[in-house]
Amino acid sequence: MVVEESKATWVPVVAVEFVVVVDKVENLMTVVHATAVVEWVKDCNQGGGRCRGRFGGVCASGSCYNYREASFSIDAENPEQDSNCPLPKEIRAAGNTYGNHFRVTTYGESHGRGVGCVIDGCPPRIPLSESDVQVDLDRRRPGQSIITTPRKETDTCKIFSGIFEGLTTGTPIHLFVPSTDQKGHDYSELSLRYRPSHADATYDMKYGIRSVQGGGRSSARETIGRVASGAVAKKILKDFAGTEILSYVSQVHKVVLPEDLIDNETVTLDQIESNIVRCPDPEYAEKMIAAIDAVRVRGDSVGGVVTCIVRNCPRGIGSPVFDKLEAELAKAAMSLPATKGFQFGSGFAGTFLTGSEHNDEFYIDEHGRTRTRTNRSGGIQGGISNGEIINMRIAFKPTSTIAKEQNTVTRDKKETTLRVGGRHDPCVVPRAVPVVEAMVGLVLVDQLMAQYAQCNLFPVNSDLQEPLLPVLQPEEVPF
């Protein structure tokens, strides 16, 4: 049947996701309705004007819906364009949540009162404290050195829920970081003019309004929620499987770290953190620092590349076709501010090789495990982890907010020029290192939980599979 409306139009007033269901009712009539999460307002000329109700309900006048028996079809891909469709457009929340099993929602804006995240799906009984999270937040915070933004924030983490007596409870974990050094007046000019290559113009194009100070939601300060939740994810991976995620800067502008200088089997966090640019090779670190400082004093900026590796990733993580592990990693990495490219394994360089040159040949190691002699696949084959080191590279563009004068336009479509003041990173890659690690951690822990749920509920095929077992001994597990 079709729901006919009596000279009225429904308008959504709460833009969140809802679920469509189909019910059978009396007289063989089928009523299509949405369940309880979107409220609709209806302008009608019956029952006293505008009324409120849930879609599928009846207003106070009792006459907002007329039903008649009929047959119809709905274009499932474009229901809003189907004149026969009785449903309103489906409204989904904006993309502020990542994950299916380990779900993270970040919130907050650059110059608001604070930023943070909510983690849903964290396993219970995991030791967790604010200090566990603070380590990575300190690596990300502004004001670290002369090659980062001078904004001074302690980025002190507070956990408001999900922890009892030092252990996770399995309920949502709320992490909050207050902002203390906001200077919104630095951005007064940007309320009228768009910064070239920034999100100012596109936010206006999408929403018709934007938070001017610091770029609002498009600011890299949003990544605090990612780093905080990523720290929890990395702890789970480390405790469960001994998985280690490390990132380092491998390029700044034209200074490129040769791949053969760094051994991804042995590189350490201490080596990476030994200098302000986070390059594990001291000689190239100095060259990178000099390159950043040279553009900083000119009011300009440069980009670079962050390399990320994962050691001891459990085998079998990832799914075929649309949810391949490298596809999830690419999505996570490319969701970061200022990212412009993603390479995995051999990347684009692999296109210069033949199949016989590129293939990773198998062998059996001294422990009877299937291994590969080379790792051009980057630790993932067929979208599924094979136990080798996962490696990827993420390209970051030059910071778009610079002090040099540039041509631009105003919000009222007049051409003008812009010279931006305020405090900004001359190169984002040193501070992007912990952010990349965080996103990789969120992907892997979500995929680990999916793998455990699907493939480890029943005994595994021990001839081919390795069981997912925690590295902690039973007496170490806090119950």
Side-chain angles (χ1 to χ4, degrees):
M1 69 142 288
V2 172
V3 180
E4 269 193 353
E5 300 188 6
S6 302
K7 300 178 181 179
T9 301
W10 282 88
V11 181
V13 294
V14 182
V16 295
E17 186 173 355
F18 65 90
V19 180
V20 174
V21 297
V22 177
D23 284 347
K24 293 291 184 180
V25 295
E26 295 180 0
N27 300 322
L28 299 179
M29 297 174 68
T30 302
V31 178
V32 183
H33 68 278
T35 58
V37 290
V38 170
E39 186 176 11
W40 299 83
V41 174
K42 187 173 186 180
D43 288 317
C44 83
N45 54 9
Q46 303 181 45
R50 173 166 277 199
C51 62
R52 286 177 178 265
R54 298 293 182 183
F55 182 67
V58 177
C59 77
S61 70
S63 58
C64 281
Y65 284 112
N66 292 326
Y67 301 109
R68 65 181 175 82
E69 188 172 352
S71 61
F72 66 93
S73 62
I74 298 175
D75 183 344
E77 294 185 354
N78 299 289
E80 70 274 15
Q81 298 176 10
D82 193 327
S83 60
N84 292 323
C85 178
L87 297 175
K89 297 179 181 180
E90 183 173 344
I91 308 298
R92 291 186 177 273
N96 299 297
T97 300
Y98 180 80
N100 294 309
H101 307 278
F102 190 90
R103 292 178 61 81
V104 174
T105 300
T106 69
Y107 66 86
E109 298 177 338
S110 178
H111 286 254
R113 298 178 63 180
V115 293
C117 67
V118 176
I119 304 171
D120 196 7
C122 181
R125 303 184 304 279
I126 296 173
L128 184 66
S129 66
E130 291 168 347
S131 61
D132 293 323
V133 177
Q134 194 63 50
V135 172
D136 279 348
L137 288 176
D138 287 345
R139 297 171 65 209
R140 194 223 72 93
R141 69 176 175 82
Q144 297 178 32
S145 68
I146 61 169
I147 61 170
T148 65
T149 171
R151 178 173 177 173
K152 297 294 183 182
E153 295 279 2
T154 61
D155 285 352
T156 303
C157 171
K158 301 179 184 297
I159 299 179
F160 288 153
S161 66
I163 307 293
F164 179 71
E165 295 183 345
L167 301 178
T168 58
T169 62
T171 57
I173 299 172
H174 179 193
L175 299 107
F176 175 71
V177 173
S179 296
T180 59
D181 190 27
Q182 309 99 310
K183 292 185 178 179
H185 60 272
D186 288 344
Y187 298 89
S188 57
E189 190 176 6
L190 301 183
S191 63
L192 302 175
R193 310 181 192 192
Y194 294 135
R195 287 171 289 181
S197 289
H198 205 282
D200 298 341
T202 51
Y203 267 55
D204 268 355
M205 293 172 188
K206 179 176 178 63
Y207 300 108
I209 189 173
R210 61 187 168 92
S211 176
V212 174
Q213 290 82 3
R217 191 76 175 131
S218 66
S219 166
R221 191 152 181 79
E222 174 272 332
T223 62
I224 284 178
R226 304 182 193 227
V227 172
S229 56
V232 179
K234 291 198 296 180
K235 179 176 175 57
I236 294 171
L237 292 164
K238 184 73 172 179
D239 290 348
F240 184 88
T243 301
E244 186 177 20
I245 303 171
L246 292 174
S247 293
Y248 57 86
V249 175
S250 54
Q251 180 181 338
V252 167
H253 199 209
K254 297 178 181 179
V255 181
V256 181
L257 177 69
E259 290 187 24
D260 58 0
L261 281 187
I262 303 301
D263 183 356
N264 288 337
E265 295 274 0
T266 60
V267 65
T268 66
L269 179 62
D270 287 342
Q271 289 176 296
I272 295 168
E273 295 293 320
S274 64
N275 56 75
I276 58 176
V277 79
R278 295 197 168 96
C279 172
D281 182 85
E283 179 183 349
Y284 275 85
E286 289 301 320
K287 295 178 181 179
M288 293 176 181
I289 293 170
I292 297 173
D293 204 39
V295 297
R296 178 186 65 84
V297 297
R298 300 199 304 265
D300 214 335
S301 64
V302 290
V305 174
V306 172
T307 294
C308 183
I309 62 170
V310 182
R311 296 193 290 234
N312 297 321
C313 179
R315 299 180 176 201
I317 303 300
S319 301
V321 192
F322 300 114
D323 295 330
K324 290 181 177 180
L325 183 53
E326 65 265 46
E328 291 297 311
L329 290 169
K331 175 184 177 180
M334 294 303 292
S335 74
L336 293 173
T339 50
K340 286 298 177 184
F342 180 89
Q343 288 195 54
F344 182 81
S346 63
F348 289 102
T351 63
F352 294 103
L353 304 178
T354 63
S356 59
E357 293 170 326
H358 190 272
N359 287 346
D360 297 316
E361 295 184 346
F362 291 110
Y363 74 100
I364 304 300
D365 69 10
E366 63 273 19
H367 303 293
R369 306 178 79 198
T370 301
R371 301 286 305 280
T372 62
R373 297 192 183 278
T374 54
N375 191 24
R376 298 183 188 91
S377 299
I380 300 175
Q381 294 172 327
I384 300 170
S385 61
N386 63 7
E388 304 296 334
I389 292 178
I390 295 174
N391 66 78
M392 67 205 85
R393 285 151 290 167
I394 300 93
F396 289 83
K397 69 175 183 176
T399 315
S400 56
T401 306
I402 58 176
K404 295 177 74 70
E405 185 174 273
Q406 301 174 90
N407 295 318
T408 187
V409 298
T410 62
R411 296 183 83 183
D412 56 357
K413 296 180 172 56
K414 295 179 180 178
E415 294 185 355
T416 185
T417 60
L418 175 68
R419 187 190 299 273
V420 181
R423 302 161 296 175
H424 312 284
D425 290 274
C427 181
V428 301
V429 291
R431 292 177 59 212
V433 164
V435 187
V436 169
E437 292 176 3
M439 291 310 299
V440 172
L442 293 178
V443 171
L444 293 180
V445 78
D446 193 51
Q447 294 292 319
L448 175 66
M449 295 171 74
Q451 171 69 5
Y452 197 94
Q454 182 186 18
C455 299
N456 279 256
L457 287 179
F458 298 97
V460 299
N461 182 342
S462 58
D463 292 333
L464 300 173
Q465 295 175 283
E466 294 180 357
L468 289 177
L469 298 174
V471 295
L472 288 174
Q473 297 301 313
E475 61 270 15
E476 297 179 279
V477 179
F479 289 115

